[in-house]
């Protein structure tokens, strides 16, 4: 269903689904992420590789900046997740 995390900072709000290694959002989770993204929200999912690569830290730091948020660069799409 609804994403695991809603994180808000001075530069905006992000919606994130959390998944373990080798797992993807379920169909229902993917639909929530797609609908949020279609309405202009920053919505995608994170997995452990995103922590190791520094992606999560970069996205969280971007939320702490004043001014417009730097949109996440999705490395994967929730479309087609089962």
């Amino acid at each position: 269903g609804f994403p695991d995390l809603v994180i808000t900072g001075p530069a905006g709000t992000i919606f994130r689904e959390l998944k373990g290694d080798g797992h993807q959002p379920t169909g229902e989770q993917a639909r929530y992420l797609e609908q949020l993204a279609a309405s202009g929200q920053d919505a995608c999912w994170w997995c452990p590789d995103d922590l190791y690569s520094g992606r999560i830290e970069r996205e969280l730091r971007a939320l702490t900046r004043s001014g417009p948020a730097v949109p996440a660069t999705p490395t994967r799409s929730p479309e087609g997740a089962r």
Side-chain angles (χ1 to χ4, degrees):
F2 193 80
D4 294 316
L5 300 175
V6 178
I7 306 170
T8 301
T13 300
I14 62 174
F15 296 81
R16 294 295 182 269
E17 180 64 35
L18 303 177
K19 290 295 168 189
D21 283 330
H23 296 276
Q24 295 185 353
T26 65
E28 184 178 0
Q29 292 167 335
R31 281 188 294 280
Y32 262 102
L33 294 173
E34 290 166 6
Q35 290 171 350
L36 286 163
S39 69
Q41 301 301 312
D42 183 342
C44 64
W45 54 286
W46 284 336
C47 67
D49 284 343
D50 296 318
L51 178 62
Y52 308 137
S53 72
R55 176 183 177 195
I56 293 172
E57 182 178 356
R58 285 190 304 276
E59 291 181 15
L60 293 175
R61 285 186 186 276
L63 284 177
T64 66
R65 297 184 188 129
S66 57
V70 177
T73 305
T75 56
R76 62 188 96 64
S77 170
E79 296 172 8
R82 308 251 182 299

